[in-house]
Amino acid sequence: MILKDRVAIVTGAGSGIGQAGAEIMAREGAHVVILDLDRERAQATAGRIAAAGGSAEAFAVDVTDDAALEETMSGIIKHHGRVDILHNHAGAQVAGDLETVEVSGFDRSWELNVRSHFIASRLVMPVMREAGRGVILNTSSSSGVLYDREMIAYTTTKHAVIAMTRQMAGDFARHGIRVNALCPGWVDTPFNAPFIAQMGGRSAIESYVRDKVPLGRWADVSEIAEPILFLVSDRSSYMTGQILVVDGGETVV
């Protein structure tokens, strides 16, 4: 078990990629703290981990609420005395171009996709720095490295995550803390609902994926979980400030 006895916090772990990442970390020996806005989904992920023989606990928290997030994170740190891994995954898609996107939607995207990552990282950094080690993984997107049609809020925030990741990595490498970003491509989860609706439904998005992705298909969440494990484990021990794109080849064509 390559994460034996480590404490990992995963935001947005109630479903999809966040859930798959939490489960693979637990499978490899980590105690995983599940954070999600939806209490039932958070508890369901913890239950799945426990049923598979792993260790987890769940908290319902709105990561865009600074006070609530600080209270939750402080309690976790106090209880465990350490945080070895933070995976900032919570995020949202908001559709629309410059003229059509709701300003409130743009602001919400920034708060969830960027600012919550910043605050969560800020809260764990002191305990990681004191320990002289730690890993922070920020979820960006293939939309953070390319153009994504009529998705200005999403692409802006995901590009920002990459810039923030590199800055954090450069500032804290000397303390033994690694910071990287994961850029998934098309992964078949409910997260894509806003873009699917914008594209005109499921059949339209299926055609789009076949045409735009060289591998010609969606990824399963399990295919994103393995790169997550690589980035949060010592398998990537000499890697920081990097962006791992897992997109079936979309960004190379």
Side-chain angles (χ1 to χ4, degrees):
M1 292 188 176
I2 62 175
L3 297 179
K4 184 175 173 56
D5 298 328
R6 297 186 193 181
V7 175
I9 300 174
V10 185
T11 71
S15 63
I17 293 172
Q19 181 181 75
E23 289 180 351
I24 201 169
M25 289 185 215
R27 188 194 76 190
E28 290 298 328
H31 173 77
V32 184
V33 184
I34 310 298
L35 303 187
D36 199 275
L37 182 62
D38 188 308
R39 182 179 304 277
E40 290 186 1
R41 293 196 307 186
Q43 291 174 339
T45 298
R48 286 165 61 100
I49 288 171
S55 176
E57 59 189 306
F59 295 92
V61 62
D62 179 353
V63 295
T64 68
D65 182 333
D66 290 358
L69 183 59
E70 182 173 6
E71 181 181 2
T72 301
M73 298 290 259
S74 295
I76 293 166
I77 292 168
K78 182 177 181 180
H79 178 71
H80 294 285
R82 60 189 295 180
V83 175
D84 301 290
I85 298 163
L86 170 65
H87 181 190
N88 287 309
H89 179 68
Q93 283 187 3
V94 175
D97 63 16
L98 175 65
E99 294 182 300
T100 61
V101 69
E102 295 286 343
V103 173
S104 60
F106 188 95
D107 291 343
R108 174 68 176 171
S109 295
W110 184 264
E111 290 174 0
L112 186 54
N113 296 351
V114 184
R115 194 175 187 280
S116 72
H117 292 17
F118 166 81
I119 295 296
S121 300
R122 184 181 177 97
L123 290 169
V124 302
M125 190 58 75
V127 71
M128 286 186 173
R129 188 159 34 81
E130 184 177 354
R133 60 171 293 151
V135 177
I136 296 174
L137 176 61
N138 296 319
T139 296
S140 177
S141 169
S142 59
S143 299
V145 295
L146 48 67
Y147 161 76
D148 199 348
R149 191 182 78 177
E150 298 176 1
M151 296 287 284
I152 190 169
Y154 190 64
T155 57
T156 297
T157 57
K158 293 304 185 178
H159 276 74
V161 168
I162 290 173
M164 183 172 66
T165 295
R166 288 174 168 153
Q167 186 69 33
M168 288 164 57
D171 288 343
F172 290 95
R174 66 183 183 275
H175 298 291
I177 299 162
R178 300 189 299 108
V179 189
N180 292 296
L182 177 71
C183 292
W186 291 101
V187 187
D188 198 4
T189 73
F191 181 79
N192 295 296
F195 192 76
I196 292 173
Q198 179 179 287
M199 290 291 293
R202 185 73 189 192
S203 61
I205 197 68
E206 292 288 353
S207 177
Y208 182 90
V209 169
R210 284 195 300 271
D211 290 344
K212 295 294 185 180
V213 178
L215 285 181
R217 63 175 178 82
W218 300 79
D220 182 80
V221 290
S222 63
E223 295 176 291
I224 309 301
E226 290 290 346
I228 289 172
L229 179 61
F230 169 72
L231 289 170
V232 302
S233 72
D234 291 342
R235 290 175 177 173
S236 58
S237 59
Y238 198 57
M239 184 175 175
T240 194
Q242 300 305 307
I243 314 307
L244 183 58
V245 180
V246 187
D247 70 346
E250 183 181 12
T251 54
V252 302
V253 297

